[in-house]
Amino acid sequence: MDILANLALGFSVALSPYTLMLAISGCFLGTIIGALPGLGPSNGVAILIPITFTLGLDATSALVLMTSVYYGAMYGGRISSILLNIPGDEPALMTTLDGYPMAKQGRAGDALVLSGVASFVGALLATFGLMLLAPTLARVAFLFGPAEYFALYLLAFCTLGGMASNNQAKSAIAACIGLGIAMIGVDSSSGLPRLTGGNLHLYDGIDFLVAIVGLFAIAEVFFFIESHGKGSSIGVKLDKVRIPWADIWSTKWTMLRSSGVGFIAGILPGAGASLGSFLAYMTEKSVAGKDGGFGTGVPKGIAAPEAGNNAAAGGALVPMLTLGVPGSGTTAVLLALLMTLNITPGPTLFTDRPEVVWGLIASLLIANVVLLLMNVPMVKIFVKVLMVPAWILLPGVTMISFVGIFSLSGSYFDLLLMIGFGVMGYILRKLDIPTVPVILGILLGGNMEDALRRAMTLSDGDPTYLFSSPIAIGLWVAAIAGFVAPMFLRNILRKPQAITD
Amino acid sequence: MASDRIFGLVTLITAVAYLAAATQIQTNFFSGEYLPKLFPMLIGGVAAICSLVMIFKPDPEPEWPASQSWLNMGLAVVVLAIYAVLLKPLGFILPTAIAAGILSYQISPRAKPAMMAGIGLSLGLYVLFKFALGLGNIVAYRIPTPAKLWEAIAILIPFVGP
């Protein structure tokens, strides 16, 4: 009964009035961030990291706050998906497929409550899965040497690339951009600067927070300038909100199946929440058959992607906490948070800092319950948030990003760099080059190179050492399959396109 | 088509430059002769191959905005860059009001609401940062000397700034 004892430890950390307060305000803030069009879990969490850092919260409190914001944003994302047909981020796209048609039929309230319950089920089951699976995987992770870690990082980039883009070369370029940026700075083993071009500002390397905020938040401003903030007004009326018991009961199996599918997709390093909601939706669509009416606003079409999406968000925490390899864009941002707080994720985290891990898990459970309670009766308040016009919202987000990044180092250089990343993010997204691999590259580049170097030092420069253990070979095979398979499956597993009016 | 080819060419040149820079990485006794160069060279190599794929197998052309939007976005970049260097010498309130106002005007071109948004955001965020989050040292306002102001602007001018 290790789990119960650990969970008791976790709740003793997470149930103090102060942390509970943080969890509740995090949930509230997160839901608002998720609901705002143009802000999703990734950029919302990214903007808040520097500010949390400056607030001087200790590691556990900061982690509780940010994970509740993370979960809150996942909940909030569905509001703009359903009411505006604008997904806050990639995984929320699947929710628009049935959510928006249902809202147009005058059942917006039902759709919101149903998706809230589905989110709750998915996230709750995934948190239980995390509790059961993570400690076991942490023990397996002790078997990982440098060769295995190198292959694992490669697997993350390959599966992410396979899923995130329609063009493998483009996602590989994105990963290379990130990895290449990570190499800049003083080399840890020789103490000599690398690839800085003699610029003193670059000797410290490029802070990943600067890149994240630039690529996610500043790039968004350019998109809004291009579109003049069109398409961000509510086209659907929200009447009385009741609880659609019949719909919830009729989708119970859908929710359970989708949670399972989503959780497994989330565990795959690099695949993450997009794959989770996509697979959950497609599975349910094929289970329901042609008469299921998917795409016309059926309850199952809302419950499946929401449960899958939130379960994948929980599942993505498994590789992030045990191996230090995030499974999605947002978990990459959470990994950035952990690194900022000087917590190194990995197998040792579970033995060295159990209060951090189990406090986190306990606060996830608390956040879930708080979010369900908050989202069903108070959904109307969050809908009001959607009324904030883009011409106030986007300048505000920009200014908060500037202050946050400025508070990190107090240097104009980081701010200029952030603007540069914003421009880059705009161009990359225009060219359909995914930006998440860039972030992942900057975050993991140092570790990946470290693993390669240690492997080369151990084997005295023999490259075959990288394929010397069964685990490493398995990871290499999975990586290559994950990179190549989507090329052939693309015609079969075509993503449903968003509905346009 | 053309966009992908141009981007591929740019990344190809960058990748080759990166490879060239990687061969020049200084090493010493502690790091060994080739280890600090190995991973950067691998990255450069993969990037070069992918750039070639992009040049020879480009995707369909994306929808680029009209030239008016490009002008607007260029202006936004300039405004943000000036804001970035003035944040320190001028403090938070004045630059924020102006920069937020201009951005707001660019998203929705109506002068009065944009001005109100700029002033409101600047004061609102000032109160939020100073009193709710305790970041007073970052958002304080300052009155700079002309020399300091010039020094800040000079950062943005090539060959003049530091």
Side-chain angles (χ1 to χ4, degrees):
Chain A
M1 283 291 98
D2 256 2
I3 291 177
L4 286 183
N6 284 328
L7 210 53
L9 169 74
F11 274 108
S12 71
V13 176
L15 270 182
S16 78
Y18 179 62
T19 15
L20 203 59
M21 191 264 303
L22 283 178
I24 292 174
S25 38
C27 290
F28 189 74
L29 201 64
T31 315
I32 290 179
I33 289 174
L36 289 169
L39 270 180
S42 329
N43 42 18
V45 176
I47 296 169
L48 287 177
I49 290 177
I51 292 169
T52 335
F53 194 47
T54 346
L55 280 178
L57 294 174
D58 63 273
T60 324
S61 314
L63 209 54
V64 168
L65 180 67
M66 296 314 282
T67 42
S68 1
V69 173
Y70 170 50
Y71 262 39
M74 300 294 279
Y75 268 74
R78 73 189 212 287
I79 298 178
S80 63
S81 304
I82 291 173
L83 292 183
L84 301 182
N85 200 21
I86 299 175
D89 63 346
E90 170 87 348
L93 177 69
M94 294 293 150
T95 314
T96 64
L97 296 178
D98 272 279
Y100 187 61
M102 191 167 178
K104 279 206 296 194
Q105 291 162 20
R107 298 183 62 201
D110 291 0
L112 284 173
V113 175
L114 177 63
S115 60
V117 174
S119 299
F120 173 75
V121 173
L124 187 72
L125 291 178
T127 314
F128 284 129
L130 172 69
M131 285 181 337
L132 294 172
L133 194 65
T136 321
L137 196 63
R139 277 196 286 279
V140 175
F142 276 117
L143 300 173
F144 277 41
E148 287 80 3
Y149 265 109
F150 183 74
L152 183 71
Y153 290 129
L154 199 71
L155 171 67
F157 286 113
C158 288
T159 46
L160 186 72
M163 279 313 297
S165 172
N166 295 318
N167 185 335
Q168 254 60 6
K170 287 186 170 177
S171 57
I173 279 191
C176 288
I177 293 173
L179 290 170
I181 290 170
M183 295 298 106
I184 295 171
V186 172
D187 177 31
S188 54
S189 73
S190 70
L192 294 166
R194 285 197 298 175
L195 305 163
T196 58
N199 189 331
L200 279 179
H201 289 291
L202 288 175
Y203 274 43
D204 282 348
I206 291 173
D207 197 316
F208 41 76
L209 290 177
V210 175
I212 293 173
V213 175
L215 285 173
F216 286 157
I218 304 294
E220 201 67 41
V221 177
F222 296 126
F223 276 97
F224 271 82
I225 290 177
E226 184 193 338
S227 69
H228 285 294
K230 286 192 190 80
S232 54
S233 56
I234 294 191
V236 187
K237 279 267 176 300
L238 179 63
D239 303 327
K240 268 187 87 156
V241 177
R242 323 168 276 110
I243 301 177
W245 293 110
D247 285 341
I248 293 173
W249 188 245
S250 72
T251 53
K252 57 185 186 296
W253 296 117
T254 301
M255 288 185 201
L256 287 179
R257 270 194 303 264
S258 303
S259 303
V261 171
F263 183 70
I264 292 167
I267 292 172
L268 295 175
S274 314
L275 184 65
S277 62
F278 173 70
L279 282 183
Y281 187 84
M282 292 319 254
T283 314
E284 285 311 309
K285 196 176 176 178
S286 53
V287 167
K290 275 213 173 70
D291 305 328
F294 272 61
T296 58
V298 288
K300 280 183 181 174
I302 296 170
E306 274 303 311
N309 178 357
N310 285 274
L317 288 172
V318 174
M320 201 271 267
L321 288 173
T322 52
L323 301 165
V325 179
S328 67
T330 321
T331 30
V333 178
L334 279 181
L335 179 68
L337 171 74
L338 287 178
M339 287 168 149
T340 320
L341 295 168
N342 214 2
I343 300 168
T344 317
T348 47
L349 184 63
F350 282 77
T351 44
D352 295 352
R353 308 281 297 269
E355 81 284 356
V356 172
V357 179
W358 292 98
L360 172 73
I361 291 174
S363 54
L364 287 178
L365 289 170
I366 295 169
N368 239 319
V369 176
V370 171
L371 279 166
L372 183 70
L373 294 179
M374 209 182 256
N375 265 276
V376 174
M378 287 166 67
V379 74
K380 284 205 130 163
I381 298 175
F382 294 117
V383 171
K384 288 264 187 307
V385 171
L386 291 178
M387 311 277 192
V388 178
W391 50 270
I392 295 181
L393 177 68
L394 268 295
V397 169
T398 317
M399 299 309 148
I400 296 173
S401 314
F402 269 79
V403 171
I405 295 298
F406 190 68
S407 69
L408 283 179
S409 63
S411 143
Y412 68 88
F413 185 77
D414 281 349
L415 296 178
L416 293 180
L417 210 54
M418 176 177 82
I419 301 169
F421 274 112
V423 175
M424 185 165 110
Y426 175 81
I427 294 172
L428 291 184
R429 269 173 57 189
K430 270 285 170 189
L431 288 173
D432 197 25
I433 298 173
T435 45
V436 174
V438 182
I439 301 290
L440 215 57
I442 299 177
L443 275 174
L444 300 179
N447 294 344
M448 190 169 173
E449 188 191 17
D450 243 24
L452 179 67
R453 279 190 182 190
R454 262 182 285 153
M456 287 298 110
T457 312
L458 280 176
S459 66
D460 213 11
D462 177 15
T464 54
Y465 179 76
L466 290 173
F467 319 95
S468 58
S469 78
I471 298 179
I473 293 172
L475 290 169
W476 275 92
V477 170
I480 293 165
F483 191 70
V484 176
M487 293 185 204
F488 300 105
L489 294 176
R490 193 140 286 144
N491 292 324
I492 307 164
L493 281 175
R494 187 160 289 279
K495 270 192 184 172
Q497 292 302 309
I499 309 155
T500 46
D501 290 305
Chain B
M1 295 287 278
S3 305
D4 268 18
R5 291 209 161 118
I6 294 167
F7 187 84
L9 200 63
V10 172
T11 42
L12 182 65
I13 294 167
T14 318
V16 172
Y18 196 84
L19 274 173
T23 57
Q24 301 300 318
I25 289 173
Q26 292 168 284
T27 53
N28 59 18
F29 173 74
F30 300 104
S31 64
E33 189 47 45
Y34 77 107
L35 276 185
K37 299 176 184 174
L38 175 64
F39 198 57
M41 288 174 78
L42 282 178
I43 297 167
V46 174
I49 295 169
C50 295
S51 317
L52 287 175
V53 174
M54 262 184 89
I55 292 172
F56 289 107
K57 267 188 69 186
D59 284 345
E61 188 75 6
E63 266 181 55
W64 291 108
S67 51
Q68 179 65 36
S69 298
W70 279 116
L71 204 69
N72 272 332
M73 281 187 273
L75 190 66
V77 172
V78 173
V79 168
L80 289 177
I82 294 174
Y83 177 65
V85 291
L86 287 186
L87 196 55
K88 202 167 191 174
L90 270 179
F92 182 76
I93 294 184
L94 184 65
T96 305
I98 296 171
I102 295 176
L103 281 186
S104 176
Y105 184 77
Q106 288 192 310
I107 291 172
S108 167
R110 286 171 302 153
K112 213 170 160 196
M115 232 152 66
M116 298 298 285
I119 295 168
L121 276 172
S122 150
L123 293 178
L125 289 177
Y126 178 75
V127 171
L128 176 75
F129 284 128
K130 188 171 168 76
F131 298 107
L133 298 175
L135 298 176
N137 54 331
I138 289 161
V139 295
Y141 66 90
R142 293 184 194 87
I143 299 164
T145 58
K148 277 232 166 109
L149 214 53
W150 167 245
E151 197 180 299
I153 292 289
I155 293 168
L156 294 176
I157 306 170
F159 310 115
V160 178

